[in-house]
């Protein structure tokens, strides 16, 4: 059994999925993961589908050097964004896998949300490109590992309406005792 970066609080109410050495850009996938973390599963599917159709953009916050600006990321409070279709496809496939794992466990799919999504760098693949004057430069790819944990939302239990306990210090206790004697 492999070790995940995060452990769910209640493993019985969570489902996991992971992909290793995936040939998709690490930086783009990191931004996609940051954009959907914490979303309900249905909302995440809709959002990723909109990104593929260029109706919504993924905000680029960390790896944003040279990234163009678009008005579609105004809703996220930033200016730079892109539509990384390949990263979206890989994340979408892992979400589907985690969802089917949840169904196999007997969890309620409508209540699932993305509690954890982690993207790590995998070892680079080496190729080479030929330059002027007989030189050779590296031509690397940046694959990644992705792991997703979906958790079923817990029911919110209202607090019992019991009498509030007032904690008093020694001086207040002595004063109350003195007043009660009189």
């Amino acid at each position: 059994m492999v070790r995940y970066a995060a452990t769910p609080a209640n493993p019985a109410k969570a489902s996991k999925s992971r992909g290793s050495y995936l040939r998709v850009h690490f930086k783009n996938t990191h931004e996609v993961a940051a954009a959907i973390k914490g979303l309900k599963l249905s909302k995440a599917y809709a959002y990723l589908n909109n990104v593929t159709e260029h109706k919504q953009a993924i905000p680029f916050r960390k790896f944003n050097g040279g990234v163009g600006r678009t008005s579609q990321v105004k809703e996220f409070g930033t200016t730079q964004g892109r539509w990384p279709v390949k990263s979206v496809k890989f994340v979408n496939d892992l979400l589907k896998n985690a969802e089917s794992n949840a169904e196999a466990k007997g969890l309620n799919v409508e209540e699932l949300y993305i509690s954890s999504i982690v993207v790590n760098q995998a070892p680079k693949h080496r190729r080479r490109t030929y330059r002027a004057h007989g030189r050779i430069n590296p031509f690397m790819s940046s694959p990644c590992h992705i792991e997703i944990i979906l958790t079923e939302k817990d029911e919110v239990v209202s607090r019992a309406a019991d009498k509030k306990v007032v904690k008093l210090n020694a001086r207040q206790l002595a004063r109350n005792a003195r007043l009660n004697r009189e």
Side-chain angles (χ1 to χ4, degrees), residues 130-137:
Y130 300 92
R131 309 307 295 261
H133 310 297
R135 291 175 301 130
I136 294 173
N137 279 6

Side-chain angles (χ1 to χ4, degrees), residues 57-60 64 67-70 73 78-84:
I58 299 285
F60 274 57
N64 59 358
V67 174
R69 297 179 295 189
T70 176
V73 292
T78 186
T79 55
Q80 293 171 296
R82 278 185 177 167
W83 302 266

Side-chain angles (χ1 to χ4, degrees), residues 35 47 56-59 61 71-80:
Y47 176 48
Q56 281 184 294
I58 299 285
R61 291 196 165 93
S71 63
Q72 286 185 2
V73 292
K74 276 184 188 172
E75 61 182 299
F76 306 108
T78 186
T79 55
Q80 293 171 296

Side-chain angles (χ1 to χ4, degrees), residues 165-178:
V165 179
V166 180
K167 293 186 179 180
L168 303 174
N169 62 25
R171 186 173 48 86
Q172 291 168 327
L173 286 170
R175 180 176 172 269
N176 286 350
R178 188 171 29 97

